[in-house]
Amino acid sequence: GRGPDVCPPDPRATGLRAGIPLRLAHRGPYAAGAVFDLLGEGTVARVEELTGEPGSRTYRRTLRLPYGTGIVAVDEASPGPWLEARIHLTDLRDMTTAVQRLRRLFDLDADPYAVDEALAADPRLAPLVAARPGLRSPGAADPEEEAVRALVGRERAEELVERYGKVLDVPCGALTHVFPEPGVLAGAVPDPALKSLATALADGQLRLDAGADRAEAGRVLATLPGVDRRTAALIRMRALGDPDVDPYGTPGAERWQPWRSYAVRHRETAARVAAPRAGRGHPQSSAPSQAPATSRQANSSTSVA
């Protein structure tokens, strides 16, 4: 397939609709529906959106990159062992970084065979693994943004985008801003906890990039006011892509090491499916029930491994 349009039809964004097509390869089965559910429930207006019906949805978002900005679109449905995507960049030097960000966001470098085999050994998780082989633990397209969002929540994050986010030169449908960078927030927000986190990110005291030391990041997070244990764990899970985090303190979770993050995602997904639609909230808003079974540069396509 030719992949999703980066932008919906818009005469102001004609150059953005096509973008550069990509095939984001993954190993083994990929439970795309659960990943898109999670991303859809947490979307922050103006910087991301999820459109379409389950099974054929498209996730779009803006990116703040080293040389410019980007807009990406990723399709839920795929004819092969990859995710169809398109990307538009203001500077092509950001291509490698943008692809790496997408791979971390969609957890495309995971080994689902190793994860599923380990978790299926627990009778509590075996039926969940059988129901959704290849379930991933999504990371972050921008780890600094994800840390801020974990601290302040979705509604406050949307307010920050509206007030401090960088406005795109050309809007892309509902996408109009790039999430504000830590340096901007550190110098502008009055909230002590957010200011402390943003300052630590801006001055490099807290590193959340792909090469960051997770243990060191955890130590720094523990010193920041307003960052409790659960928030720090969520930051480690999403921003750092840590595969072995249980933010909820689930009894017996130690048996899921070193894949506790994936066990948490299985339980959250089961809870989401079991809960009445009207009662669904953000999957990170509360711990899942302890009963896992019912709880909660070219125009040609580019293969990217």
Side-chain angles (χ1 to χ4, degrees):
R2 75 172 193 83
D5 283 336
V6 174
C7 292
D10 185 331
R12 297 172 297 173
T14 302
L16 301 184
R17 284 195 63 200
I20 299 170
L22 303 171
R23 285 180 172 177
L24 302 169
H26 58 78
R27 180 184 181 189
Y30 189 90
V35 173
F36 277 70
D37 283 346
L38 176 68
L39 296 179
E41 290 182 346
T43 53
V44 170
R46 299 180 179 84
V47 300
E48 39 177 9
E49 66 174 354
L50 186 68
T51 59
E53 295 299 317
S56 59
R57 293 170 290 185
T58 297
Y59 171 79
R60 295 182 176 88
R61 69 155 296 139
T62 63
L63 293 173
R64 175 169 52 86
L65 296 161
Y67 296 101
T69 59
I71 301 170
V72 297
V74 182
D75 263 356
E76 177 182 6
S78 173
W82 60 76
L83 294 180
E84 297 275 4
R86 283 187 178 250
I87 185 167
H88 171 83
L89 301 171
T90 59
D91 192 315
L92 289 178
R93 290 177 293 178
D94 285 320
M95 176 59 76
T96 299
T97 300
V99 170
Q100 291 172 343
R101 299 269 192 92
L102 286 176
R103 296 194 65 79
R104 289 197 292 272
L105 174 63
F106 287 92
D107 195 21
L108 296 176
D109 295 316
D111 181 351
Y113 300 112
V115 174
D116 288 1
E117 181 181 8
L119 297 185
D122 186 335
R124 295 181 296 172
L125 293 181
L128 307 187
V129 173
R132 296 175 189 85
L135 183 68
R136 299 306 206 265
S137 179
D142 184 327
E144 295 176 341
E145 170 191 320
E146 192 63 42
V148 171
R149 290 167 60 164
L151 177 67
V152 304
R154 179 179 180 177
E155 290 186 5
R156 177 62 175 145
E158 292 181 341
E159 295 172 1
L160 295 174
V161 169
E162 183 177 11
R163 185 164 183 179
Y164 304 110
K166 177 183 178 181
V167 179
L168 296 176
D169 292 335
V170 179
C172 174
L175 306 181
T176 57
H177 291 64
V178 176
F179 201 86
E181 56 187 311
V184 171
L185 295 176
V189 296
D191 176 67
L194 177 54
K195 182 181 287 290
S196 178
L197 173 63
T199 299
L201 290 168
D203 65 15
Q205 178 189 4
L206 175 60
R207 286 187 53 201
L208 300 175
D209 57 274
D213 183 288
R214 291 170 182 158
E216 175 61 22
R219 286 191 290 269
V220 175
L221 286 167
T223 69
L224 300 179
V227 178
D228 59 18
R229 187 202 65 83
R230 184 170 156 190
T231 300
L234 290 171
I235 291 173
R236 287 188 60 155
M237 178 187 284
R238 290 293 304 269
L240 286 168
D242 192 332
D244 193 31
V245 177
D246 172 28
Y248 308 122
T250 309
E254 61 275 1
R255 74 179 64 184
W256 301 329
Q257 294 175 314
W259 308 115
R260 283 179 291 181
S261 298
Y262 293 87
V264 166
R265 292 306 182 202
H266 270 293
R267 291 163 59 82
E268 288 178 338
T269 300
R272 185 186 299 112
V273 170
R277 182 173 297 272
R280 291 179 187 171
H282 192 288
Q284 294 177 352
S285 63
S286 61
S289 162
Q290 299 306 317
T294 57
S295 73
R296 93 142 203 126
Q297 334 267 72
N299 270 333
S300 60
S301 183
T302 305
S303 264
V304 183

